[in-house]
Amino acid sequence: GGLSWQSCDSGLPKNDDERVGAYVKSLAIDPLNSNVIYAGTGGWVGQGHGVYKTTDGGDTWLSSNRGMLDYRITAVAADPTDSQIIYAGSDRGEFFKSSDGGTTWTDLTDNLPNTQYSFATVQVIEIDPADPHLIYVLIDWLGLLSSSDGGLSWNHYGRPDATEDLSFTDMAICSGIPAKAIVGIERNGCWRYEITP
């Protein structure tokens, strides 16, 4: 119940100072097998280690970053119906998809809308549990996007007009018709958006 904790970082990468483990920036648990967990890792700014994977509940980790090595992965999500499909996003706006449980990754970054900011962090990736083909992504400064074809094309819903520069922090999707997105914004609270089909 949280009274005791144990380290489970065997195999995770280390930074230059071996006493300090790499940052675990995001986690996703396989919805069909809770022993399979994906960790998006990072390090200091500009230094990343991609995705690591465990199949034994965190006892041991192996790199799972072929095609995305050296990226700081800030968001990871697993398809709720096909656990071989994994999505990952980085702190510089790169977006990746794996169709083989993280063994290899395809870079889908060029399909995303362009942003004027060079550090457009992918903050959250959510997959609609009622329609797993529908992916929602929250990107810092850019706002809310969705894809209904596995990241090949995107709808850009924009961002609130609260201030000129908005740093997004988190997102929750309320599925239904219409779906609603609740987004957290640094220094600007929460905003709700109704997503029309």
Side-chain angles (χ1 to χ4, degrees), residues 75-177:
V76 185
D79 188 305
T81 59
D82 183 351
S83 60
Q84 292 298 296
I85 298 177
I86 313 297
Y87 297 94
S90 82
D91 68 339
R92 291 182 182 254
E94 292 96 357
F95 189 76
F96 302 92
K97 178 180 180 179
S98 175
S99 298
D100 54 14
T103 301
T104 58
W105 296 86
T106 301
D107 189 341
L108 301 178
T109 306
D110 289 342
N111 299 338
L112 292 169
N114 289 328
T115 175
Q116 62 182 333
Y117 299 97
S118 57
F119 296 100
T121 300
V122 177
Q123 297 286 23
V124 185
I125 303 168
E126 291 236 1
I127 302 171
D128 191 321
D131 180 5
H133 300 292
L134 184 55
I135 310 159
Y136 295 97
V137 175
L138 185 68
I139 299 181
D140 210 7
W141 313 111
L142 188 60
L144 176 66
L145 297 94
S146 74
S147 174
S148 58
D149 57 12
L152 297 178
S153 62
W154 294 90
N155 294 315
H156 182 207
Y157 299 105
R159 41 190 237 163
D161 294 326
T163 61
E164 184 177 339
D165 293 331
L166 296 177
S167 180
F168 294 92
T169 56
D170 208 349
M171 171 180 70
I173 299 293
C174 308
S175 56
I177 302 175

Side-chain angles (χ1 to χ4, degrees), residues 23-106:
Y23 303 150
V24 174
K25 307 288 288 177
S26 53
L27 293 165
I29 298 176
D30 183 324
L32 306 179
N33 181 354
S34 61
N35 281 319
V36 176
I37 306 166
Y38 298 88
T41 67
W44 301 107
V45 173
Q47 177 191 25
H49 304 283
V51 172
Y52 274 67
K53 179 180 179 179
T54 178
T55 57
D56 54 17
D59 288 337
T60 56
W61 297 84
L62 294 172
S63 62
S64 185
N65 51 29
R66 186 175 174 190
M68 62 152 43
L69 187 63
D70 298 332
Y71 289 96
R72 286 166 45 99
I73 301 301
T74 52
V76 185
D79 188 305
T81 59
D82 183 351
S83 60
Q84 292 298 296
I85 298 177
I86 313 297
Y87 297 94
S90 82
D91 68 339
R92 291 182 182 254
E94 292 96 357
F95 189 76
F96 302 92
K97 178 180 180 179
S98 175
S99 298
D100 54 14
T103 301
T104 58
W105 296 86
T106 301

